[in-house]
Amino acid sequence: EKEKLAAFADNLVNTIQAVVSMTEDSLDERAKDVESVVKAASEPDSGDFLVPLSKERVDAMRSTVEGLDEADLNEGFLSTVDSWMNK
C-alpha cells in the first residue's frame, strides 16, 4: 500500500512539474510577443516612445500583431500586456 501511494505521489509531482514547466514556457513566449509589439511602437533610431505615436509606429505595431500566430493572441497575451502596463 505504501509503495502504491509513493508511486502515485511521485507521478503526481512529475505531472505538476511538467504543467508548471509548460506554463512558464508559455509565459516566456507571450512576453516575447508583447516585447516585439512594444519594440515596434518605439522609434527605430532612438528606442524612445513619442506620444502620441506616429502613424508609422501605429502601423508597425499593427503589422507586428498581425504577424503573430492567432492562437497566441489569447488571454495569456492580454494578461502579459496588462502586467506590463501596470509596471
Side-chain angles (χ1 to χ4, degrees), residues 50-71:
L50 303 180
V51 179
L53 293 176
S54 67
K55 179 179 179 344
E56 292 81 13
R57 300 287 36 99
V58 171
D59 290 345
M61 287 178 63
R62 181 174 286 115
S63 176
T64 301
V65 170
E66 288 173 350
L68 297 174
D69 186 349
E70 284 186 33

Side-chain angles (χ1 to χ4, degrees), residues 2 11 25 31 42:
K2 277 188 176 184
N11 189 13
D25 291 346
S42 68

Side-chain angles (χ1 to χ4, degrees), residues 6-37:
F8 176 72
D10 188 49
N11 189 13
L12 183 60
V13 167
N14 290 335
T15 302
I16 291 172
Q17 287 175 335
V19 169
V20 168
S21 177
M22 288 174 51
T23 301
E24 288 173 345
D25 291 346
S26 177
L27 290 174
D28 289 344
E29 285 300 314
R30 296 302 70 76
K32 288 177 187 174
D33 290 343
V34 172
E35 182 178 2
S36 70
V37 174

Side-chain angles (χ1 to χ4, degrees), residues 70-86:
E70 284 186 33
D72 293 336
L73 300 176
N74 55 23
E75 186 176 340
F77 179 84
L78 293 176
S79 294
T80 303
V81 170
D82 184 56
S83 70
W84 282 39
M85 288 173 49
N86 291 319

